[in-house]
């Protein structure tokens, strides 16, 4: 298992995602830092606490990564090499999940370092409000967990990384619209508050006051529901992966 994971990480580290998205995160942080300094978009404190606003880019990068990490194995035929060894499908699937987590941590670290460099270059001062940063990262991480697990499921069901990428990215940008539409329906039919689309509001609820009056869920219910749906999506994706023809 550890050999499989090491091989997976080696492949990703030497791939385009690791280098390409790392460069994108750095350049984006520099661009936002320059624009904030020139046009007073945000202060140094806000720039640091929001990680230069790069979290949305991380979400997009991770949806792309999650949607392709398994489907590309089938498209290129390399899945046959993995399964022809001593590894089971369960081990291959778990190694993919661990690699996804590793890449997310990598992007967070790169973004933090890039933002800190941008603060030193473009701002005279800037401190991190750690509690707010923790809330932002926690809420976005839960939102990503939900979207990424859905993208993983879609890529296995549709056998198309393109479909999963398109739907996942659309969810990221359409979450606010979906939230507004659902709020009208949920206000009349309270039982619909448990539908999975309502949990796309997890990021908003944990960062915006009184959002619970729209979702009709407490913060704890929102967090637990998001995790529960994500685990369900991952479980179904793993089951499909196990049964999928090579």
């Amino acid at each position: 298992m550890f050999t499989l994971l090491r091989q997976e990480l080696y492949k990703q580290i030497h791939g385009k995602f690791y280098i390409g998205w790392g460069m994108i995160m750095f350049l984006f942080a520099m661009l936002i830092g320059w624009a904030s300094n020139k046009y007073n978009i945000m202060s140094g404190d806000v720039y640091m606490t929001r990680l230069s606003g790069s979290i949305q880019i991380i979400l997009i990068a991770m949806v792309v990564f999650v949607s392709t990490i398994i489907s590309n194995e089938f498209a290129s035929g390399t899945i046959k090499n993995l399964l022809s060894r001593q590894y089971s499908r369960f081990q291959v699937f778990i190694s993919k999940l661990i690699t996804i987590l590793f890449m997310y941590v990598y992007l967070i670290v790169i973004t933090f370092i890039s933002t800190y460099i941008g603060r030193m270059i473009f701002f005279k001062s800037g401190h991190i409000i750690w509690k707010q940063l923790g809330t932002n990262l926690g809420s976005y991480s839960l939102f990503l967990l939900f979207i990424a697990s859905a993208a993983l499921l879609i890529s296995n069901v549709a056998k198309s990384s393109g479909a999963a990428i398109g739907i996942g990215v659309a969810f990221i940008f359409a979450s606010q619209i979906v939230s507004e539409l659902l709020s009208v329906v949920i206000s009349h039919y309270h039982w619909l508050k448990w539908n999975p689309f309502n949990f796309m509001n997890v990021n908003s609820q944990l960062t915006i006051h009184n959002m619970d009056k729209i979702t009709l869920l407490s913060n704890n219910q929102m967090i637990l529901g998001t995790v529960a749906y994500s685990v369900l999506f991952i479980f179904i994706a793993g089951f499909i992966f196990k049964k999928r023809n090579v």
Side-chain angles (χ1 to χ4, degrees):
M1 179 66 183
F2 289 106
T3 301
L4 177 62
L5 180 59
R6 185 171 64 251
Q7 292 173 345
E8 183 67 36
L9 292 175
Y10 179 86
K11 180 172 61 178
Q12 299 301 333
I13 289 174
H14 290 80
K16 296 179 180 179
F17 180 92
Y18 186 83
I19 299 174
W21 281 104
M23 293 177 61
I24 289 173
M25 302 313 302
F26 178 80
L27 292 174
F28 185 82
M30 295 301 105
L31 176 62
I32 296 300
W34 171 81
S36 296
N37 176 269
K38 186 174 180 61
Y39 301 106
N40 296 318
I41 297 176
M42 64 179 76
S43 65
D45 289 353
V46 175
Y47 177 78
M48 284 297 300
T49 303
R50 292 184 179 177
L51 291 182
S52 69
S54 300
I55 297 181
Q56 287 283 357
I57 307 299
I58 294 177
L59 294 178
I60 295 173
M62 288 306 301
V63 166
V64 172
F65 183 70
V66 170
S67 300
T68 57
I69 189 170
I70 291 180
S71 58
N72 280 354
E73 296 281 8
F74 284 91
S76 62
T78 53
I79 189 66
K80 295 180 181 179
N81 295 329
L82 288 175
L83 298 179
S84 64
R85 303 175 187 178
Q86 72 272 24
Y87 310 118
S88 66
R89 292 202 179 208
F90 176 77
Q91 290 176 316
V92 172
F93 187 75
I94 293 299
S95 71
K96 298 292 184 182
L97 295 182
I98 296 175
T99 302
I100 289 170
L101 177 61
F102 176 86
M103 287 300 169
Y104 178 58
V105 173
Y106 161 74
L107 288 181
I108 292 293
V109 171
I110 289 296
T111 300
F112 184 87
I113 295 174
S114 300
T115 302
Y116 189 80
I117 294 174
R119 198 276 298 172
M120 291 191 296
I121 295 175
F122 300 108
F123 299 92
K124 294 181 180 179
S125 63
H127 300 87
I128 302 174
I129 305 174
W130 289 104
K131 183 177 180 180
Q132 185 177 343
L133 176 60
T135 300
N136 291 340
L137 283 178
S139 60
Y140 271 108
S141 295
L142 283 169
F143 179 68
L144 173 62
L145 175 64
F146 183 87
I147 295 297
S149 59
L152 185 67
L153 174 58
I154 293 168
S155 66
N156 274 275
V157 172
K159 299 183 180 180
S160 169
S161 58
I165 292 172
I167 295 174
V169 173
F171 276 163
I172 292 174
F173 290 104
S175 59
Q176 186 61 42
I177 299 175
V178 173
S179 169
E180 293 175 0
L181 293 175
L182 277 176
S183 64
V184 177
V185 180
I186 292 174
S187 64
H188 291 85
Y189 305 97
H190 290 186
W191 58 272
L192 284 176
K193 67 183 180 181
W194 299 107
N195 84 86
F197 292 101
N198 196 29
F199 292 92
M200 290 171 57
N201 293 305
V202 61
N203 173 55
S204 299
Q205 176 148 337
L206 296 179
T207 55
I208 300 176
H209 188 59
N210 288 331
M211 191 67 186
D212 58 320
K213 291 181 173 59
I214 296 176
T215 63
L216 300 184
L217 294 170
S218 67
N219 285 357
N220 287 337
Q221 288 175 327
M222 179 63 75
I223 293 172
L224 290 175
T226 300
V227 172
Y229 268 115
S230 301
V231 170
L232 176 62
F233 293 159
I234 293 173
F235 177 81
I236 297 174
F239 179 80
I240 295 173
F241 175 76
K242 184 179 180 180
K243 300 296 182 179
R244 189 170 173 179
N245 294 327
V246 178

